[in-house]
């Protein structure tokens, strides 16, 4: 590993994080609350970043393993320093709780250890939401947009941080691609904030929920989440923007260029839309026919909202779905598995992986029936290379192993199988709320520090799609080139 280059990138990211603490610090001082905590945290983070940046990195060429190592270490270091405001302000004096909340923010998971949200200082609540917005598109993608001249190997940083098995650049230059992605990201955030304000939210709430909707994070400033506003207009605005954020941002870019052929050709987008409509319809039927709900707009809204918020791994709540029939709960668990599209801010396995796994299964059946027939898999008309298919299978295997191991760890806290399994699932899929005693009306504070640390690792594994963090466990990575 090229230590000088990796540490130089770590220093840059920490300096970016220190600067991004300033809005929360200003809000903290203005509200007469937690401003000093952010000031101290920003100074410590900036000092650490400056020290790491002193290492010369000029002339160093980045290789793939350097990029993966830099991304994994950056997310770990960001979380450790990002937890300082929670500890310094006293709202989460237990550092394990502070790290859990910070990792949940940066990975846009939305699981929380706060037992009461509305009584927290404004600066802390803003930082919670801002960490989700920073992590939604990717912190290193943000750095590439701000400082595009990180070297020719910066493409490895984007590949390691961007979700999905198939990577593509919108432009030949990585920095330009990062700027395009963040321009769309900022545009969606501003548009949703304005819409929510027009729908009746105060500006502070509108900005917070725009941050956490577009990033598909789910942190709210209300204990009852979106249900506290009791507004169909607000709920449908959030549904639309969550759905858009679960779409590959490259497709949104093509839509802006009016290249609608590329948009409608996307198999992943079709799958994403069909699963959303199908899952919502199944839950509406279950609630109306089995639970005796009225077939009205509110039932449809609650069903669609919970499907979209869990499939895009946002994690808001308009109704406690733990009280729904078992069939509806199983549907929600399944969409938590699948997640949104690759190249979006959503988590989960990703629609494209599920589509390609089904195609590969069908090909294997055809091979048994017709051994001499040679078939190649295609996605959106393009051939999918065998290494990509192999990588998808390995990712799915690793995903299931980590999910089961997380279930075993959390089960040690004796919270019940449903809670343990869905807690592990919600963290590795970056969803947020789980089921049972860890459901949408509850929180993760009852878990032990061991479970919180392990689930924090699960969240990072899910956000970075396993491989960058897994590489850190191999001694050969740490050998100096």
């Amino acid at each position: 590993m090229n230590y000088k280059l990796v540490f130089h990138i770590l220093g840059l990211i920490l300096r970016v994080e220190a600067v991004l603490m300033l809005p929360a610090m200003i809000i903290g001082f203005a509200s007469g609350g937690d401003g000093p905590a952010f000031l101290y945290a920003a100074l410590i983070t900036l000092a650490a970043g400056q020290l790491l940046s002193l290492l010369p990195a000029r002339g160093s060429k980045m290789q793939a393993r350097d990029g993966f190592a830099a991304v994994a270490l950056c997310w770990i270091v960001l979380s450790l320093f990002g937890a300082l405001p929670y500890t310094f302000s006293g709202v989460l004096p237990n550092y394990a709780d502070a790290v859990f909340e910070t990792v949940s923010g940066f990975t846009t998971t939305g699981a929380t250890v706060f037992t009461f949200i509305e009584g927290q200082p404004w600066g802390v609540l803003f930082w919670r939401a801002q960490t989700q917005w920073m992590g939604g598109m990717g912190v290193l993608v943000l750095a590439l947009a701000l400082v595009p001249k990180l070297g020719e190997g910066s493409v490895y940083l984007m590949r390691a941080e961007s979700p999905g098995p198939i990577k593509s650049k919108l432009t030949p230059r990585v920095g330009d691609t990062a700027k395009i992605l963040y321009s769309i990201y900022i545009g969606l955030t501003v548009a949703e904030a304005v819409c929510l304000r027009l729908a009746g939210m105060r500006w502070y709430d509108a900005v917070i929920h725009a941050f956490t909707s577009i990033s598909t994070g789910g942190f709210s400033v209300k204990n009852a989440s979106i249900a506290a506003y009791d507004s169909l207009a607000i709920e449908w605005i959030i549904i639309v923007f969550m759905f858009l954020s679960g779409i590959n941002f490259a497709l949104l870019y093509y839509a802006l260029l009016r290249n609608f052929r590329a948009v409608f050709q996307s198999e992943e987008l079709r799958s994403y839309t069909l699963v959303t409509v199908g899952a919502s319809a199944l839950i509406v039927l279950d609630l109306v026919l089995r639970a005796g709900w009225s077939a009205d707009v509110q039932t449809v809204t609650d069903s669609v909202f919970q499907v979209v918020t869990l499939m895009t791994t946002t994690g808001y709540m308009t109704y406690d779905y733990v009280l729904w029939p078992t069939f509806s709960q199983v549907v929600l668990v399944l969409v938590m598995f699948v997640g949104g599209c690759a190249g979006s801010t959503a988590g989960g396995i990703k629609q494209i992986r599920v589509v390609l796994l089904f195609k590969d299964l069908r090909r294997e059946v055809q091979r048994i029936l017709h051994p001499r027939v040679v078939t190649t898999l295609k996605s959106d008309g393009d051939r999918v290379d065998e290494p990509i298919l192999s990588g998808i299978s390995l990712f799915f295997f690793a995903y299931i192993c980590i999910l089961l191991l997380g279930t075993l760890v959390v089960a040690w806290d004796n919270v019940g199988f449903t809670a343990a399994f869905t807690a592990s699932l919600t963290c590795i899929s970056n969803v947020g709320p789980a089921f049972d005693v860890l459901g949408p009306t509850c929180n993760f504070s009852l878990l032990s520090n061991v479970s919180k640390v392990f689930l924090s690792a699960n969240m990072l594994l899910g956000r970075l799609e396993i491989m960058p963090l897994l590489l850190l466990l191999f001694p050969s990575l740490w050998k100096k080139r």
Side-chain angles (χ1 to χ4, degrees):
M1 184 170 68
N2 189 334
Y3 283 94
K4 290 183 179 180
L5 181 57
V6 171
F7 287 162
H8 182 78
I9 294 171
L10 284 175
L12 170 64
I13 293 300
L14 285 177
R15 285 182 291 167
V16 170
E17 182 178 34
V19 172
L20 292 174
M21 287 182 183
L22 296 181
M25 182 189 73
I26 294 171
I27 292 173
F29 277 116
S31 61
D34 49 356
F38 284 96
L39 176 61
Y40 303 146
L43 290 175
I44 292 173
T45 304
L46 180 62
Q50 286 294 110
L51 286 174
L52 289 171
S53 299
L54 293 177
L55 294 173
R58 292 183 180 180
S60 300
K61 187 176 180 181
M62 184 182 298
Q63 295 185 358
R65 66 176 186 175
D66 299 325
F68 276 76
V71 167
L73 292 173
C74 278
W75 279 76
I76 293 171
V77 170
L78 278 169
S79 301
L80 295 177
F81 281 88
L84 295 178
Y86 294 114
T87 303
F88 289 167
S89 64
V91 297
L92 292 175
N94 181 357
Y95 189 62
D97 285 343
V99 170
F100 181 94
E101 196 75 16
T102 308
V103 173
S104 182
F106 278 121
T107 59
T108 71
T109 302
T112 185
V113 293
F114 280 117
T115 57
F116 190 73
I117 303 224
E118 294 176 28
Q120 303 304 325
W122 278 33
V124 164
L125 293 179
F126 189 86
W127 177 242
R128 268 176 103 234
Q130 190 180 335
T131 55
Q132 293 199 326
W133 192 84
M134 291 161 60
M137 185 57 65
V139 185
L140 281 123
V141 175
L142 175 60
L144 289 170
L146 296 174
V147 189
K149 296 181 180 180
L150 285 177
E152 296 179 357
S154 57
V155 65
Y156 296 123
L157 297 176
M158 181 171 283
R159 286 179 179 175
E161 191 176 51
S162 300
I166 302 174
K167 316 295 183 183
S168 61
K169 293 193 296 182
L170 300 177
T171 63
R173 297 175 63 88
V174 175
D176 293 338
T177 298
K179 289 178 181 177
I180 290 171
L181 293 174
Y182 256 96
S183 295
I184 297 172
Y185 194 53
I186 293 170
L188 288 172
T189 305
V190 172
E192 184 179 6
V194 172
C195 289
L196 290 175
R197 179 68 184 92
L198 293 175
M201 275 192 185
R202 58 179 178 174
W203 273 117
Y204 180 78
D205 291 23
V207 171
I208 292 289
H209 288 97
F211 276 179
T212 57
S213 296
I214 301 304
S215 65
T216 62
F219 278 155
S220 177
V221 294
K222 299 292 185 181
N223 293 324
S225 190
I226 306 303
Y229 297 97
D230 193 23
S231 168
L232 285 175
I234 288 175
E235 290 171 18
W236 276 103
I237 288 170
I238 292 176
I239 287 172
V240 169
F241 281 98
M242 286 191 299
F243 184 83
L244 289 174
S245 299
I247 297 174
N248 190 326
F249 272 60
L251 295 181
L252 298 181
Y253 175 64
Y254 295 144
L256 291 174
L257 296 180
R258 298 185 179 180
N259 184 3
F260 297 112
R261 180 179 179 182
V263 176
F264 294 128
Q265 188 182 10
S266 172
E267 293 178 323
E268 185 178 33
L269 179 58
R270 290 199 295 270
S271 170
Y272 176 61
T273 305
L274 287 173
V275 171
T276 302
V277 174
S280 300
L282 287 174
I283 291 178
V284 169
L285 289 174
D286 189 36
L287 293 178
V288 171
L289 298 180
R290 293 172 59 86
W293 285 36
S294 301
D296 55 14
V297 175
Q298 188 62 61
T299 299
V300 173
T301 301
D302 286 338
S303 302
V304 174
F305 190 98
Q306 289 308 142
V307 167
V308 174
T309 195
L310 292 183
M311 188 164 69
T312 61
T313 67
T314 307
Y316 287 139
M317 180 193 69
T318 57
Y319 194 89
D320 186 1
Y321 52 76
V322 173
L323 303 177
W324 284 359
T326 303
F327 179 83
S328 294
Q329 293 185 43
V330 171
V331 171
L332 293 178
V333 169
L334 292 177
V335 299
M336 288 167 66
F337 265 107
V338 177
C341 300
S344 70
T345 59
I349 295 173
K350 301 295 186 301
Q351 298 280 336
I352 187 62
R353 285 195 177 95
V354 175
V355 170
L356 290 176
L357 281 171
F358 273 111
K359 284 188 174 184
D360 202 17
L361 176 62
R362 184 178 62 183
R363 184 176 65 167
E364 289 302 313
V365 173
Q366 289 176 341
R367 281 178 178 173
I368 295 174
L369 297 175
H370 309 286
R372 296 185 179 182
V373 175
V374 178
T375 57
T376 58
L377 293 189
K378 292 186 177 182
S379 176
D380 301 341
D382 297 325
R383 177 182 174 180
V384 180
D385 295 332
E386 291 301 321
I388 292 178
L389 294 172
S390 176
I392 290 173
S393 299
L394 290 173
F395 170 85
F396 185 74
F397 174 73
Y399 180 95
I400 296 299
C401 288
I402 296 168
L403 168 62
L404 295 178
L405 181 59
T407 303
L408 187 64
V409 172
V410 178
W412 186 260
D413 289 338
N414 199 30
V415 293
F417 174 77
T418 300
F421 177 78
T422 55
S424 183
L425 172 62
T426 197
C427 287
I428 193 171
S429 292
N430 303 135
V431 178
F435 285 73
D436 203 5
V437 295
L438 300 175
T441 60
C442 307
N443 58 77
F444 286 66
S445 62
L446 59 86
L447 297 180
S448 65
N449 286 340
V450 173
S451 292
K452 291 171 186 172
V453 171
F454 193 88
L455 290 179
S456 297
N458 268 16
M459 289 186 270
L460 287 171
L461 285 163
R463 174 58 181 84
L464 299 180
E465 302 203 323
I466 299 172
M467 284 305 168
L469 280 175
L470 192 61
L471 286 175
L472 296 181
L473 302 178
F474 285 78
S476 58
L477 174 73
W478 300 96
K479 292 182 179 179
K480 190 174 182 180
R481 286 194 288 114

